[in-house]
Amino acid sequence: MNRFIIHIDADCFFAAIEMRDRPELFDRPMAIGGSANRRGVISTCNYSARQFGVRSAMATAYALRLCPGLTLLEHRMALYREVSQEMMAIFHKYSDIVEPLSLDEAFLDVSSNCESLQEAGSLAQEIRQKVWQTLGITVSAGVAGNKFLAKVASDWRKPDGMFVIDSDRQDSFVAQLPIWCIPGVGKVTSNQLQFMGVSLCQDLYCHSENELVKRFGRFGARLYHLSRGVDERPVKPTRERKSVSVEQTYAQDIESLNACEALLPELYQRLMLRLEKLSADTVIAKGFVKIKFSDFRQTTLERLGGDWAAEAFLPLLAQAYSRGNGRVRLLGLGVRLAGSGPQSAAVEQINLL
């Protein structure tokens, strides 16, 4: 049976909500992120700010140098999660098979609702209009016969656009895709592929699956199939993740606890960026700190609780630091996520404020 998949992605989600509530910001470069004085990181910015080169995951201090007139706002995570839940509720009115990827994007399998990709495109357009009318924000949509191509298509006419990859032009469309459009092709893999003379998906067609597996391991099989537009993954209504973490290995050893504490805000901002990509109903069960010392001994310390502001990691950091030799080569922060089923009293809704 043919599958018809819609991928919907909100346009600069956090920034869009702030501009909706404060229309005077609409034409001004603005971003949501941590303070430059606390080594903060940009999590989202509007398209006006992007014209200056501001991007997500960029250090706030650097973003302000690129765009001195940038309006910087603090996160309102409770509001963003509320809007996300309302958006997902709209999706569920059009399909029972919805797979949230983060607060602001999801896959919908509408195969049982539609008889063609064109009909699925009409449905996607209706969903886009419903989100705008109900929530006052725009979303972009991609429609295709599988998840990979639907996600590529949703980015094709951003912002506030839609693109349908028809089955009769799928092969020619995929052949001309830059190889970095394939998920998992980062800087290292891209450099390896460039060395092989590969810049477009069609450049991989002269390489067998066995050859790519020998060179890239299991990812080689993924390269082989996705470069040909083949993706058999189903849309999964539920996904379970056990933890989210960030870590950093430092070129020079950190010599004191105070120095470790000074590095914590940057790690925390990176952790927050990853947590913001989880679905709105995610809950935290524990927080943890990881340290690797200069002698390569490693320790991880965790504690129950759902409220993990940056300061909450400080006691764990101090206790973990006391287990070593005083010189640290790696620091990490993370949270354990609650599984399905009844939640214990120790588990609370994610709180990043």
Side-chain angles (χ1 to χ4, degrees):
M1 186 182 73
N2 290 331
R3 286 197 295 174
F4 308 121
I5 308 300
I6 301 173
H7 179 259
I8 297 183
D9 189 7
D11 302 316
C12 58
F13 184 54
F14 297 172
I17 294 171
E18 298 296 346
M19 290 187 294
R20 179 197 68 180
D21 293 350
R22 297 174 57 182
E24 70 274 13
L25 297 175
F26 185 79
D27 292 322
R28 292 168 53 183
M30 58 88 69
I32 294 92
S35 168
N37 296 331
R38 300 173 58 186
R39 304 177 72 178
V41 176
I42 300 296
S43 63
T44 313
C45 63
N46 65 2
Y47 289 94
S48 296
R50 294 180 193 188
Q51 293 178 3
F52 289 85
V54 179
R55 293 290 184 271
S56 298
M58 176 180 288
T60 300
Y62 183 58
L64 289 170
R65 289 199 295 272
L66 290 175
C67 182
L70 183 69
T71 298
L72 185 66
L73 303 179
E74 295 183 354
H75 295 83
R76 294 196 289 169
M77 286 304 301
L79 174 61
Y80 306 152
R81 291 184 180 280
E82 179 183 337
V83 175
S84 173
Q85 289 172 339
E86 293 173 344
M87 185 168 66
M88 296 299 166
I90 292 173
F91 297 165
H92 279 282
K93 292 179 180 178
Y94 293 88
S95 175
D96 293 328
I97 308 175
V98 177
E99 179 182 348
L101 299 180
S102 62
L103 288 178
D104 62 345
E105 63 174 320
F107 285 113
L108 290 74
D109 188 329
V110 295
S111 304
S112 61
N113 307 35
C114 304
E115 296 183 357
S116 67
L117 283 170
Q118 289 70 30
E119 192 175 340
S122 298
L123 195 63
Q125 184 67 12
E126 185 177 336
I127 295 170
R128 293 180 63 241
Q129 292 173 349
K130 187 68 172 179
V131 171
W132 169 250
Q133 293 167 357
T134 306
L135 303 177
I137 61 173
T138 63
V139 298
S140 295
V143 183
N146 61 53
K147 292 170 76 172
F148 165 56
L149 292 178
K151 187 167 175 61
V152 169
S154 69
D155 197 44
W156 212 247
R157 290 183 179 159
K158 259 186 170 292
D160 194 19
M162 189 183 78
F163 187 63
V164 179
I165 302 178
D166 296 322
S167 54
D168 59 353
R169 63 173 174 172
Q170 174 178 310
D171 291 346
S172 59
F173 177 84
V174 176
Q176 295 300 312
L177 280 179
I179 198 66
W180 50 259
C181 286
I182 294 179
V185 176
K187 184 176 181 181
V188 174
T189 304
S190 182
N191 289 340
Q192 290 178 293
L193 290 167
Q194 291 285 346
F195 182 76
M196 294 168 57
V198 175
S199 59
L200 303 176
C201 283
Q202 67 181 7
D203 298 331
L204 278 177
Y205 295 174
C206 61
H207 298 277
S208 69
E209 183 174 357
N210 286 339
E211 179 185 352
L212 292 175
V213 169
K214 286 180 181 178
R215 185 181 288 265
F216 296 102
R218 288 192 301 174
F219 185 64
R222 184 172 174 83
L223 278 174
Y224 179 86
H225 292 289
L226 292 186
S227 67
R228 290 160 172 80
V230 177
D231 183 9
E232 300 297 335
R233 295 173 300 157
V235 176
K236 297 181 179 180
T238 58
R239 302 191 311 161
E240 188 153 336
R241 187 171 184 172
K242 296 182 178 179
S243 66
V244 179
S245 63
V246 295
E247 60 183 46
Q248 179 68 49
T249 300
Y250 298 96
Q252 295 183 335
D253 290 344
I254 308 166
E255 300 287 348
S256 68
L257 175 59
N258 286 340
C260 289
E261 291 173 345
L263 295 169
L264 188 141
E266 180 181 10
L267 285 171
Y268 179 76
Q269 289 291 339
R270 287 170 51 195
L271 177 63
M272 184 173 64
L273 286 173
R274 294 193 177 184
L275 287 172
E276 288 166 357
K277 289 296 181 182
L278 300 183
S279 63
D281 58 355
T282 303
V283 292
I284 291 177
K286 297 178 181 180
F288 65 87
V289 168
K290 173 183 175 182
I291 294 181
K292 183 180 289 186
F293 297 96
S294 59
D295 58 5
F296 288 88
R297 286 188 301 140
Q298 182 174 301
T299 186
T300 300
L301 192 65
E302 60 184 44
R303 179 175 62 77
L304 283 170
D307 187 358
W308 288 95
E311 295 76 13
F313 286 98
L314 289 172
L316 288 180
L317 178 63
Q319 189 174 348
Y321 180 83
S322 68
R323 295 176 173 179
N325 62 2
R327 298 174 61 193
V328 173
R329 61 178 281 109
L330 176 148
L331 284 176
L333 299 180
V335 294
R336 311 286 185 201
L337 304 181
S340 58
Q343 299 172 15
S344 71
V347 177
E348 303 172 12
Q349 195 73 25
I350 283 181
N351 180 7
L352 296 177
L353 299 179

